[in-house]
Amino acid sequence: MKLLRYGEAGRERPGLIDKDGVIRDLSQHIADLGGETIDPKELDRLARIDPASLPVVTGNPRIGPCVHGTGKFICIGLNYSDHAAETGATVPPEPIIFMKASSAIVGPNDDVLIPRGSEKTDWEVELGVVIGRKAKYVSEADALDYVAGYCTAHDVSERAFQTERSGQWTKGKSCDTFGPIGPWLVTKDEVPDPQNLKMWLTVNGEKVQDGSTRTMVYGVRYLVSYLSQFMSLHPGDIISTGTPPGVGMGMKPPRYLKAGDVVELGIEDLGQQRQDVKADA
């Protein structure tokens, strides 16, 4: 299934995409998409609903974040060998973990706002892994049993905040609008191999990232298991798994986003995003 949330910010409704690409309303069956409603048993129940029996959503509604109530937005740094090389870093012996504030989450086509004082706002297309049930001390072999599905994620980053000011990476990753997710939560049965998905990103129509999840250092199974050794993962938590090469920081000379730019990105079978870049007020 391709599940989504649509409507104005803060008042989104749950829906699904039928075989013809039409949005169907799910609000008679679930209140929202997140938490207990993305448990495997609940997803199985939703999968048994005939999409043709659901109301058609007319017009062109805003698409919201594909998951509601995310408690943890966990990101993995330098998880693509070719991206680590372009930044001059070495592949870490264990995954680099940092948090992106959940307040950064926005819809896939909402504006990205350059924060005050920013000169180095950067782009990163990433595979998002959405947790479907509580995971604690899970094995790598069983890890995917705890995954509800996958989504396209944009890990927008302010590099000066991230690397040139003392402290951790979080403050360069958590500015408002720095976490577009969606358009859909694609259930894992429709993604047989999360380690073989093409991914891309353009800035003003120029393709700058053109990669694949094949070059991940630490794959989805490993990451879910690894993280669960340190913290419980809960339904609705998102793991953003790293980015392929082509980020602005790695260009020579470096190139960063400015007001007026348009960013488009997507992952094979997981949908596309489009954001207008604006200066924050």
Side-chain angles (χ1 to χ4, degrees):
M1 291 181 292
K2 291 181 173 66
L3 302 169
L4 78 163
R5 301 171 67 246
Y6 69 94
E8 63 182 273
R11 301 182 64 182
E12 293 93 345
R13 297 164 66 93
L16 62 77
I17 304 292
D18 69 17
K19 61 182 177 59
D20 297 316
V22 174
I23 301 176
R24 300 275 183 161
D25 182 76
L26 269 175
S27 57
Q28 293 180 358
H29 297 272
I30 55 173
D32 208 338
L33 191 63
E36 293 180 356
T37 61
I38 57 174
D39 176 272
K41 291 182 180 179
E42 187 68 2
L43 291 178
D44 286 344
R45 183 181 72 84
L46 295 179
R48 292 193 293 272
I49 298 171
D50 179 6
S53 69
L54 301 172
V56 171
V57 177
T58 59
N60 187 29
R62 168 187 173 268
I63 305 301
C66 60
V67 182
H68 169 69
T70 295
K72 293 190 289 296
F73 198 159
I74 307 166
C75 299
I76 309 299
L78 300 176
N79 195 32
Y80 283 69
S81 55
D82 36 10
H83 170 57
E86 76 169 343
T87 62
T90 56
V91 173
E94 292 189 39
I96 293 175
I97 302 170
F98 62 91
M99 295 289 193
K100 183 184 283 283
S102 59
S103 56
I105 293 174
V106 291
N109 303 315
D110 291 343
D111 296 338
V112 164
L113 302 179
I114 297 178
R116 291 182 184 179
S118 167
E119 296 181 354
K120 297 182 178 180
T121 295
D122 205 347
W123 56 82
E124 295 188 18
V125 58
E126 305 204 0
L127 172 66
V129 179
V130 181
I131 299 299
R133 64 187 180 103
K134 183 179 177 179
K136 184 175 183 180
Y137 301 134
V138 304
S139 69
E140 190 171 346
D142 295 335
L144 294 189
D145 293 342
Y146 297 84
V147 172
Y150 305 94
C151 66
T152 300
H154 188 183
D155 177 19
V156 187
S157 309
E158 211 301 334
R159 301 302 190 186
F161 295 179
Q162 176 189 356
T163 64
E164 297 174 21
R165 300 175 66 170
S166 63
Q168 299 179 338
W169 288 7
T170 301
K171 63 181 175 290
K173 298 284 190 169
S174 296
C175 304
D176 292 350
T177 75
F178 272 25
I181 57 170
W184 316 308
L185 165 61
V186 181
T187 51
K188 64 183 177 184
D189 58 293
E190 294 200 11
V191 186
D193 184 2
Q195 305 308 146
N196 188 28
L197 298 173
K198 295 177 182 178
M199 52 205 310
W200 56 270
L201 183 146
T202 67
V203 178
N204 301 327
E206 177 190 352
K207 184 171 285 187
V208 291
Q209 288 191 276
D210 187 10
S212 169
T213 57
R214 288 194 307 271
T215 64
M216 266 190 205
V217 178
Y218 301 106
V220 172
R221 285 182 181 274
Y222 183 90
L223 290 172
V224 172
S225 174
Y226 181 84
L227 291 168
S228 77
Q229 310 306 311
F230 302 100
M231 65 190 86
S232 294
L233 303 175
H234 294 96
D237 286 352
I238 298 170
I239 305 169
S240 199
T241 55
T243 197
V247 300
M249 179 176 62
M251 293 183 172
K252 295 180 175 37
R255 172 182 169 188
Y256 298 106
L257 295 172
K258 61 185 183 302
D261 285 344
V262 175
V263 180
E264 296 178 274
L265 60 148
I267 299 179
E268 182 180 7
D269 299 328
L270 303 185
Q272 302 182 19
Q273 303 183 359
R274 181 193 186 280
Q275 293 115 26
D276 291 320
V277 179
K278 300 180 180 179
D280 203 354

